[in-house]
């Protein structure tokens, strides 16, 4: 055999690292592996129950031995029974050996629940109160009636609850889940009014994630009651509060006093909010979050954003000193400004890991105006931002949204763009999309002559699409003025839209 050559037939051969020669090991088949090794392999291959609760089914159909190993280790392998709209629950529990020992995962989409009679299987599964550990349901009007009747008792082993509805849901009462869920770790309610939530949450000692989305006005919970309820959750890491209507806002005559002692949420790292800015103002005036790394806000449209408590809340965190990159994003429904790290720290959610503010608005000129207003208010936090990416879902194609954009673009005043740029004194890199080139270029033309350094004094690199000569011509006066002032800006052309 040629030196260095390894021949593999019925044996697996390895080089001997300690000296010349080869070490030969017999070929091992999976059937010759001992039970404990097979169990280790099964454990390594198991899938998360919330995505694949039935991952183990194929294993138990291989042979009796594998079936025995799997069923003998239900806790280690986290074995669960998946029940959906097609599962004949009452019959199934008599078919599976040891099925009575497995927790139940209930999961179904609204689409499949439209099949006549499908809700009955879900309700039958929900009646196993002592075994249901996870619930993931997109509900229908028919199923909602069954849910409200059956989910009045406690679920002692329930750890995850996700309920979504696109319908007008009745109010969840104090009797929901028997009024408590001591082992619940994740709660997501979308479209459900739950005014009794402040009394329910303190019973959920293990809660880590709380997501309340599209809260109807009938389920309004005051900022004071919400903050008090959250204070009882000592393991809380993520909170999302989202309202369906701008009507869900606190009484302006009942704002928290300046001398208020704030509630500390020591483990919270992600906070997202969607609703009226007045609600968020009231809420963050009442809490401190020393471990927070991400604050994501989405405000309803209004003329003026008075957000002093928001700014003080951010100032009490570690976020301001870490803002290095920013993105401005426009589409036909909203405008977004978001900040993040150039190199996000471990555990951070990437570019969106620090701070973002979105405002619902349909017209481009108002979007730029709102953005200028927000940038002016949060400017004390932007001194370290070196990179700015401006992007949009608009394009040069003749779609309805783009036609509307072009109609409103002419209403944008140059001072509005300059107000935005004034908020970024340390900016060195800026990227501009094709469709906004002429609008921004027109504003930059005012930064010539004696005003050349009025805004963007540290800008060194400007990234433009290569396909727009008119855009490059609009920006050229600014580039020339910076060149003459000994503060040159280098343009980089790319294939971006």
């Amino acid at each position: 055999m040629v030196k260095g050559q390894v021949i593999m037939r019925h044996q697996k051969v390895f080089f001997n690292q300690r000296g010349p020669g080869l070490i030969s090991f017999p070929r091992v088949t999976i059937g010759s592996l001992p039970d404990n090794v097979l169990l280790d392999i099964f454990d390594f291959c198991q899938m998360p129950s919330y995505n694949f609760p039935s991952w183990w089914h194929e294993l138990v159909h291989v042979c009796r031995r594998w079936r025995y190993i799997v069923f003998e280790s239900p806790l280690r392998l986290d074995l669960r029974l998946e029940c959906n709209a097609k599962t004949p629950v009452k019959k199934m529990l008599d078919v599976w050996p040891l099925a009575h020992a497995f927790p139940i995962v209930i999961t179904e989409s609204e689409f499949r629940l439209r099949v006549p009679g499908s809700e009955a299987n879900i309700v039958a599964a929900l009646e196993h109160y002592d075994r249901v550990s996870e619930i993931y349901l997109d509900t229908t009007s028919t199923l909602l009636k069954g849910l409200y009747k059956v989910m009045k008792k406690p679920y002692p082993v329930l750890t995850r609850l996700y309920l979504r509805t696109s319908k007008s849901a009745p109010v969840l009462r104090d009797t929901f889940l028997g009024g408590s869920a001591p082992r619940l770790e994740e709660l997501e309610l979308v479209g459900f009014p739950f005014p009794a939530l402040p009394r329910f949450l303190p019973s959920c000692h293990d809660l880590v994630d709380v997501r309340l989305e599209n809260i109807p006005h009938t389920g309004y919970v005051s900022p004071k009651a919400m903050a008090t309820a959250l204070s009882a959750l000592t393991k809380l890491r993520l909170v999302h509060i989202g309202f369906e209507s701008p009507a869900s806002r606190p009484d302006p005559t009942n704002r928290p006093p300046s001398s208020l002692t704030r509630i500390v949420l020591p483990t919270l790292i992600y906070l997202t909010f969607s609703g009226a800015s007045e609600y968020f103002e009231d809420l963050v005036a009442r809490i401190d979050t020393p471990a927070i790394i991400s604050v994501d806000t989405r405000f309803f449209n209004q003329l003026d954003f008075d957000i002093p408590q928001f700014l003080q809340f951010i100032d009490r965190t570690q976020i301001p000193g870490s803002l290095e990159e920013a993105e401005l994003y426009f589409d036909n429904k909203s405008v977004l400004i978001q900040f993040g790290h150039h190199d996000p720290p471990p555990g951070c959610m990437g570019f969106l890991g620090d701070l973002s503010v979105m405002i619902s608005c349909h017209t481009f000129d108002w979007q730029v105006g709102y953005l200028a207003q927000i940038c002016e208010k949060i400017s004390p936090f932007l001194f370290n931002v070196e990179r700015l990416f401006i992007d949009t879902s608009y394009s040069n194609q003749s779609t309805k949204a783009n036609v509307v954009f072009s109609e409103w673009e002419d209403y944008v005043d140059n001072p509005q763009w300059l107000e935005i740029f004034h908020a970024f004194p340390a900016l060195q890199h800026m990227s501009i999309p094709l469709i906004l080139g002429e609008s921004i270029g027109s504003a930059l033309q005012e930064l010539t002559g004696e005003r050349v350094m009025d805004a963007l004094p540290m800008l060194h690199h400007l990234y433009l699409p290569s396909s727009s000569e008119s855009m490059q011509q609009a920006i050229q006066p600014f580039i020339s003025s910076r060149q003459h002032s000994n503060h040159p800006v280098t343009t980089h052309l790319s294939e971006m839209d």
Side-chain angles (χ1 to χ4, degrees):
M1 184 178 69
V2 179
K3 184 178 181 180
Q5 181 181 4
V6 178
I7 300 177
M8 298 184 66
R9 291 180 181 173
H10 300 296
Q11 293 182 327
K12 192 168 186 179
V13 181
F14 301 87
F15 283 103
N16 186 348
Q17 301 297 323
R18 296 184 179 180
L22 301 173
I23 298 177
S24 177
F25 293 94
R27 184 176 61 179
V28 176
T29 64
I30 196 167
S32 63
L33 295 176
D35 289 0
N36 65 312
V37 175
L38 281 174
L39 180 59
D40 287 340
I41 295 173
F42 297 162
D43 187 17
F44 178 79
C45 294
Q46 71 169 289
M47 307 294 286
S49 62
Y50 52 84
N51 285 331
F52 305 99
S54 302
W55 68 272
W56 52 273
H57 284 193
E58 293 185 3
L59 297 179
V60 300
H61 284 94
V62 172
C63 62
R64 290 184 178 179
R65 181 185 174 210
W66 282 29
R67 191 174 193 175
Y68 173 81
I69 294 173
V70 169
F71 284 152
E72 280 296 300
S73 306
L75 294 179
R76 178 173 176 181
L77 298 179
D78 195 24
L79 300 186
R80 296 164 190 263
L81 289 179
E82 179 183 10
C83 295
N84 55 45
K86 294 184 177 181
T87 307
V89 175
K90 296 180 179 179
K91 296 180 180 179
M92 186 193 72
L93 296 185
D94 295 331
V95 172
W96 285 104
L98 302 178
H100 64 279
F102 299 167
I104 294 175
V105 176
I106 303 174
T107 175
E108 197 50 271
S109 65
E110 181 180 354
F111 177 77
R112 293 210 303 182
L113 284 170
R114 294 173 183 172
V115 178
S118 58
E119 293 92 348
N121 287 325
I122 297 296
V123 172
L126 288 169
E127 290 176 342
H128 292 270
Y129 303 100
D130 59 338
R131 296 181 50 193
V132 175
S133 63
E134 301 174 35
I135 300 173
Y136 309 91
L137 289 176
D138 291 329
T139 62
T140 61
S141 299
T142 305
L143 181 58
L144 281 174
K145 297 178 182 178
L147 286 178
Y148 279 68
K149 290 181 181 179
V150 74
M151 298 186 73
K152 292 182 178 181
K153 294 184 180 180
Y155 285 77
V157 297
L158 184 65
T159 58
R160 293 187 177 96
L161 174 61
Y162 293 76
L163 293 179
R164 292 172 172 263
T165 181
S166 58
K167 311 298 180 182
S168 179
V171 172
L172 293 175
R173 304 295 180 185
D174 290 33
T175 55
F176 181 64
L177 299 183
S180 67
R183 294 187 58 183
L184 194 64
E185 297 175 6
E186 298 177 15
L187 172 66
E188 180 173 320
L189 298 176
V190 180
F192 285 88
F194 194 9
L197 184 75
R199 295 187 292 276
F200 173 77
L201 285 181
S203 73
C204 309
H205 307 296
D206 291 336
L207 263 179
V208 176
D209 290 2
V210 176
R211 305 170 193 259
L212 310 170
E213 181 76 32
N214 290 342
I215 304 172
H217 190 52
T218 53
Y220 178 79
V221 175
S222 72
K224 179 180 180 180
M226 186 70 75
T228 302
L230 294 176
S231 68
L233 308 178
T234 58
K235 301 178 181 179
L236 197 60
R237 289 173 57 84
L238 183 149
V239 171
H240 171 75
I241 302 170
F243 290 98
E244 185 179 64
S245 165
S248 297
R249 63 182 69 213
D251 183 351
T253 63
N254 192 25
R255 293 294 179 89
S258 58
S259 59
L260 178 70
T261 301
R262 291 186 292 269
I263 293 170
V264 179
L265 304 178
T267 59
L268 188 68
I269 58 175
Y270 299 117
L271 174 62
T272 65
F273 174 81
S274 178
S277 63
E278 294 91 339
Y279 189 100
F280 194 68
E281 275 286 288
D282 198 318
L283 178 66
V284 297
R286 302 176 183 276
I287 62 174
D288 269 336
T289 55
I292 200 84
I293 64 174
S294 175
V295 178
D296 179 6
T297 59
R298 303 176 185 183
F299 296 139
F300 289 122
N301 188 349
Q302 60 191 65
L303 289 177
D304 182 59
F305 290 92
D306 186 22
I307 52 173
Q309 294 297 336
F310 181 17
L311 302 180
Q312 292 177 34
F313 170 71
I314 296 298
D315 199 37
R316 296 196 299 268
T317 72
Q318 301 299 314
I319 290 177
S322 64
L323 303 182
E324 299 171 342
E325 294 187 352
E327 180 179 6
L328 313 181
Y329 187 82
F330 303 86
D331 62 27
N332 62 343
K333 293 183 179 180
S334 61
V335 60
L336 168 70
I337 180 169
Q338 56 189 12
F339 307 92
H341 293 79
H342 180 56
D343 296 309
C348 189
M349 296 167 61
F351 187 81
L352 296 179
D354 290 341
L355 175 65
S356 66
V357 180
M358 177 184 287
I359 299 173
S360 300
C361 181
H362 296 275
T363 59
F364 180 68
D365 60 329
W366 282 74
Q367 290 176 352
V368 176
Y370 283 137
L371 197 56
Q373 185 181 153
I374 294 297
C375 285
E376 188 275 331
K377 292 182 182 298
I378 65 175
S379 59
F381 304 144
L382 307 184
F383 284 102
N384 294 323
V385 175
E386 297 180 351
R387 298 171 181 84
L388 175 62
F389 305 90
I390 305 176
D391 203 358
T392 176
S393 64
Y394 300 116
S395 70
N396 289 327
Q397 300 175 0
S398 297
T399 64
K400 181 178 179 180
N402 295 330
V403 170
V404 172
F405 163 79
S406 63
E407 291 175 351
W408 288 104
E409 183 183 19
D410 293 337
Y411 289 89
V412 177
D413 295 328
N414 290 341
Q416 292 179 314
W417 281 116
L418 296 180
E419 285 178 35
I420 295 172
F421 297 148
H422 275 120
F424 298 94
L427 196 67
Q428 298 182 27
H429 304 261
M430 183 166 68
S431 172
I432 303 174
L434 177 62
I435 196 170
L436 298 183
E438 293 189 25
S439 177
I440 295 177
S442 175
L444 292 178
Q445 287 180 11
E446 297 197 8
L447 299 178
T448 58
E450 296 181 354
R451 298 189 59 194
V452 66
M453 302 301 290
D454 281 1
L456 305 175
M458 301 297 293
L459 185 67
H460 297 308
H461 302 277
L462 194 58
Y463 302 86
L464 311 173
S466 59
S467 56
S468 174
E469 294 183 4
S470 60
M471 175 180 177
Q472 296 174 40
Q473 292 174 359
I475 294 176
Q476 188 56 42
F478 168 72
I479 300 297
S480 299
S481 294
R482 289 294 294 263
Q483 182 73 32
H484 294 318
S485 68
N486 293 323
H487 295 85
V489 175
T490 303
T491 57
H492 305 266
L493 302 182
S494 69
E495 299 300 323
M496 64 183 181
D497 292 332

